[in-house]
Amino acid sequence: METEKRQQTQSLKALMGVRDLVFSGRARPGERLSEIAIAEKLGISRTPIRAALARLEQEGLLELIPSGGYAVRQFSRDEVIDSIELRGVLEGTAARLAAERGVPPARLRAIKDLLRGLDETMAERVEDMAFDRYVELNAQFHEALAGLAGSGIIRREIERVTRLPFASPSAFLDKQADVPEFRRSLIGGQAQHRAIVNAIELREGARAEALAREHARLARQNLEYVIEQDRGLISRVPALALIGE
Amino acid sequence: METEKRQQTQSLKALMGVRDLVFSGRARPGERLSEIAIAEKLGISRTPIRAALARLEQEGLLELIPSGGYAVRQFSRDEVIDSIELRGVLEGTAARLAAERGVPPARLRAIKDLLRGLDETMAERVEDMAFDRYVELNAQFHEALAGLAGSGIIRREIERVTRLPFASPSAFLDKQADVPEFRRSLIGGQAQHRAIVNAIELREGARAEALAREHARLARQNLEYVIEQDRGLISRVPALALIGE
DNA sequence: GACTTGCAAATTGTATACAGGTGGTATCTA
DNA sequence: TAGATACCACCTGTATACAATTTGCAAGTC
């Protein structure tokens, strides 16, 4: 019908449009993002585009050009590593606080269900894994973990860091990056998932924190594998499109 | 000359203007911030105001009203505590990484100079302390610490959290909140400063991290003192203007 | 008297007009 | 041929106009 979901649409369309422009690699790092060009391409006026650009700059995806305007930001290897480290620290904090403060039974049950679901995706041979399903459940697990401490502040901050694609728990879980090396890392990853939840349940804050931090290191390992062993993969992992240098 | 430093001014004026409106308490938590009203008050058009509002929402200072527009956000006691905790975690990470990665001698010297400066503000009797100078140097110390790991990502994140006034290391260091209880806490605080730098210099990452976290707890102690012992102080500590509930 | 309904004012979201400034190019000169 | 200068096109920052909602009030009805 003519309901035409226009509610809030222009702004959202602009935000998603620009994000996609960057993530898809159609806008290369360093490239200037012209308001007019984008506006024409997306079929909306400059105003919502401008708002989207400003917001994405806040998110760290774009950078200000001294003479005005915005450009796609380029991230160095070190910045990517620090972002992953940061995610580990924040997820570790969420885990620790959840352990220290205690988690309502319903929530604990919910995250345990996710654990079980993840288990079911595993198989004897890595080729037999239900990769897509793992990716989906893994994202849900990390989301649940971020909220487990019951702190909106922490949850929000994790969400923020995670918006940088290469810092996301799903950074190396992509159909395009379906590499045996990465698949193998999921086995250990799932063991860490279990350990984290166990530590939280037993109210072992320090252990929960350390485990969550170490868990994030999986992403770092995968990153280093890509950079040092198989640079060709860089272009196949979408989350790595912003890495330069 | 009529050069009239207008460079970038409207946007900046809008940002500072709205921030000040909130921090000064002229806009109460929950209150809607009307673009037109602010635009008239500040003598600029709606466009830069709008940008400022959107940005401050991203910073967490404002919240979106479902039907459109922005309102001053109100923070619960728990959210304030979590923000302080978060700052502790992030400063702890900066300290740990600085210890693990090592700090260039010049930077180490610089932060040690700050330590010495802070020492000089101390006195036998708390009434004799150079309070203003301490406040100034303390802010510099925390800024230096945030940058000590040489990570722009970490530095930026600390800066972000710190923008929430009650999460800042200077939250309870204000002329209006010049209370003996707070002054006394500075003595132990300075000891922690020294210990943090010492741990970093000795490359003791875990110790540096734990100390920095504990150091942030000073702010939490002060907060709890205000809430549980002397609620009248709330109105005298500007950083606490946003606390509700 | 309380609730509903309709209207009017106000407010946001979006588009566009306008001015100042930046960068690039082409031409002219040495 | 290389460098400098002047001009032109484009782009951003800001203001304002316009349209669609939303909110608040008032009047009318049950």
Side-chain angles (χ1 to χ4, degrees):
Chain A
M1 311 355 344
E2 302 312 282
T3 333
E4 258 245 78
K5 266 211 286 195
R6 275 182 57 87
Q7 29 122 339
Q8 206 71 315
T9 293
Q10 303 301 69
S11 305
L12 245 180
K13 246 171 82 178
L15 191 62
M16 315 256 294
V18 178
R19 254 214 204 95
D20 184 58
L21 213 60
V22 176
F23 287 171
S24 72
R26 264 173 298 158
R28 316 291 309 172
E31 183 180 332
R32 177 194 213 108
L33 293 177
S34 157
E35 295 176 6
I36 301 178
I38 298 174
E40 283 173 4
K41 193 174 299 189
L42 298 183
I44 49 194
S45 82
R46 278 179 58 209
T47 307
I49 302 290
R50 196 176 175 65
L53 291 173
R55 169 155 177 175
L56 293 175
E57 191 264 335
Q58 278 299 101
E59 283 186 12
L61 200 64
L62 308 180
E63 65 187 355
L64 269 121
I65 297 175
S67 65
Y70 301 90
V72 180
R73 180 152 159 212
Q74 185 165 81
F75 292 88
S76 70
R77 181 180 164 283
D78 284 350
E79 285 173 317
V80 174
I81 286 180
D82 286 350
S83 298
I84 295 172
E85 177 80 17
L86 181 59
R87 168 167 69 84
V89 166
L90 293 175
E91 288 186 336
T93 299
R96 172 174 62 87
L97 292 181
E100 291 172 354
R101 299 176 178 178
V103 178
R107 291 196 130 185
L108 205 57
R109 236 177 295 126
I111 203 166
K112 280 181 170 179
D113 287 345
L114 289 172
L115 279 182
R116 210 163 323 116
L118 282 163
D119 272 338
E120 286 167 9
T121 67
M122 311 297 261
E124 282 296 311
R125 296 179 312 170
V126 289
E127 310 94 60
D128 297 335
M129 281 186 54
F131 190 64
D132 289 7
R133 180 105 183 103
Y134 186 95
V135 172
E136 160 85 16
L137 288 173
N138 180 67
Q140 284 184 34
F141 177 87
H142 281 269
E143 212 178 301
L145 178 62
L148 217 55
S151 162
I153 298 280
I154 300 291
R155 190 179 152 65
R156 194 175 158 135
E157 214 57 25
I158 292 179
E159 199 181 305
R160 248 188 76 76
V161 174
T162 287
R163 252 185 232 130
L164 259 31
F166 45 76
S168 151
S170 310
F172 294 89
L173 300 178
D174 192 288
K175 278 166 225 158
Q176 291 190 269
D178 190 351
V179 181
E181 273 74 13
F182 295 170
R183 283 202 174 213
R184 236 167 273 140
S185 75
L186 302 186
I187 300 170
Q190 169 64 355
Q192 289 174 328
H193 289 162
R194 288 214 94 90
I196 291 169
V197 173
N198 178 254
I200 291 173
E201 190 171 11
L202 296 176
R203 312 293 289 263
E204 300 172 355
R207 177 173 162 233
E209 175 165 22
L211 283 167
R213 279 196 194 179
E214 196 60 28
H215 183 55
R217 287 266 168 155
L218 272 189
R220 176 164 172 171
Q221 281 175 38
N222 285 338
L223 173 72
E224 279 164 353
Y225 173 81
V226 168
I227 291 183
E228 278 147 35
Q229 305 291 325
D230 190 355
R231 290 193 76 89
L233 263 180
I234 282 194
S235 51
R236 278 176 54 201
V237 183
L240 265 37
L242 300 170
I243 299 189
E245 181 217 37
Chain B
M1 285 269 343
E2 300 312 283
T3 330
E4 256 244 81
K5 264 213 285 191
R6 279 179 53 89
Q7 28 123 345
Q8 207 69 319
T9 294
Q10 303 302 69
S11 306
L12 246 181
K13 248 171 81 178
L15 191 62
M16 315 257 293
V18 179
R19 253 213 205 97
D20 185 57
L21 213 60
V22 176
F23 287 170
S24 73
R26 264 173 296 160
R28 315 291 310 174
E31 183 180 331
R32 178 192 213 110
L33 293 178
S34 156
E35 294 176 4
I36 301 178
I38 299 175
E40 282 173 3
K41 194 174 298 192
L42 297 183
I44 50 194
S45 83
R46 279 178 57 208
T47 308
I49 301 290
R50 197 175 175 66
L53 291 173
R55 169 155 178 176
L56 292 176
E57 191 265 335
Q58 279 298 103
E59 284 186 12
L61 201 63
L62 308 180
E63 63 188 357
L64 269 122
I65 297 175
S67 66
Y70 301 91
V72 180
R73 181 153 160 212
Q74 185 164 81
F75 291 88
S76 70
R77 179 179 166 282
D78 283 351
E79 286 174 317
V80 174
I81 285 179
D82 285 350
S83 298
I84 294 171
E85 178 80 16
L86 181 60
R87 169 168 66 86
V89 166
L90 292 175
E91 287 185 337
T93 299
R96 171 174 63 88
L97 292 180
E100 291 172 355
R101 300 175 178 179
V103 178
R107 291 196 129 184
L108 205 57
R109 237 178 292 126
I111 203 166
K112 280 182 171 177
D113 286 345
L114 289 171
L115 281 181
R116 210 164 320 118
L118 282 162
D119 272 339
E120 286 166 10
T121 67
M122 310 297 259
E124 282 297 310
R125 296 179 310 171
V126 289
E127 309 92 60
D128 296 336
M129 281 187 53
F131 189 63
D132 288 9
R133 181 105 183 103
Y134 187 95
V135 172
E136 159 86 15
L137 288 173
N138 180 66
Q140 284 184 35
F141 176 86
H142 281 268
E143 212 179 302
L145 178 61
L148 218 55
S151 163
I153 299 281
I154 301 291
R155 189 180 153 63
R156 196 176 155 133
E157 215 57 24
I158 292 179
E159 201 180 304
R160 248 189 74 76
V161 175
T162 287
R163 254 186 229 129
L164 259 30
F166 46 76
S168 152
S170 309
F172 294 89
L173 300 177
D174 192 288
K175 279 165 224 161
Q176 290 189 267
D178 189 350
V179 181
E181 272 73 13
F182 295 170
R183 284 203 174 211
R184 237 168 272 140
S185 74
L186 302 185
I187 299 170
Q190 169 64 355
Q192 289 174 328
H193 288 161
R194 289 214 93 91
I196 291 169
V197 172
N198 179 254
I200 291 172
E201 191 172 11
L202 295 177
R203 312 292 290 261
E204 299 171 355
R207 177 173 162 233
E209 176 165 23
L211 284 166
R213 280 196 192 178
E214 196 59 29
H215 183 55
R217 287 264 166 157
L218 272 188
R220 176 164 172 172
Q221 282 175 37
N222 286 337
L223 174 71
E224 279 164 354
Y225 172 81
V226 167
I227 290 183
E228 280 146 34
Q229 305 291 324
D230 190 357
R231 288 192 78 91
L233 262 179
I234 282 193
S235 51
R236 278 176 54 201
V237 182
L240 265 37
L242 300 171
I243 299 188
E245 182 216 34

